[in-house]
Amino acid sequence: QVQLVESGGGLGQAGGSLRLSCAASPSTFSASAMGWYRQAPGKQRELVATIISPGSTNYADSVKCRFTISSDNAKNTVTLQMNSLKPEDTAVYYCNARSRYTYKVYWGQGTQVTVSS
């Protein structure tokens, strides 16, 4: 079975930073793409950032120039560096991965990020 486990969420301050990490298990898992999504209260789940390769990333307009997504070469892990946090970043953040070989899509359980003003 494949599991994605997020870590690094919690309470941050406006203008501060948090780093979210997601690790897939088993460690032999390899993704063709990984990403982060978030869902705030009363809103639909939305794309935050995705990565296919270091030169192929995509960011939501609201997080461009503030957040950075990165992954290991095998795409077994993915990290979201969140800088210049805003209260509007408050949401549950979900890790997402698409299997390189089966194309199955997996989701993490989500981690809460709360940004105080």
Side-chain angles (χ1 to χ4, degrees):
Q1 68 280 2
V2 176
Q3 294 185 103
L4 303 179
V5 180
E6 302 102 333
S7 62
L11 179 64
Q13 293 183 307
S17 298
L18 286 173
R19 180 179 294 165
L20 304 183
S21 296
C22 174
S25 63
S27 60
T28 52
F29 175 83
S30 181
S32 57
M34 300 189 80
W36 290 94
Y37 292 72
R38 68 185 182 186
Q39 186 167 21
K43 299 187 67 176
Q44 299 295 314
R45 186 175 299 186
E46 64 177 353
L47 169 74
V48 178
T50 59
I51 182 168
I52 297 174
S53 66
S56 182
T57 57
N58 186 49
Y59 297 92
D61 289 341
S62 60
V63 307
K64 284 182 179 177
C65 302
R66 298 192 298 119
F67 293 5
T68 302
I69 189 169
S70 61
S71 178
D72 63 321
N73 289 337
K75 295 191 186 67
N76 181 257
T77 62
V78 64
T79 298
L80 186 69
Q81 178 66 46
M82 309 165 64
N83 296 328
S84 302
L85 286 168
K86 302 177 180 180
E88 305 91 272
D89 295 321
T90 295
V92 177
Y93 285 71
Y94 297 90
C95 178
N96 169 272
R98 182 174 69 241
S99 173
R100 181 180 302 275
Y101 302 109
T102 70
Y103 302 102
K104 290 183 178 180
V105 176
Y106 299 92
W107 292 88
Q109 81 286 351
T111 185
Q112 177 70 46
V113 170
T114 302
V115 182
S116 62
S117 60

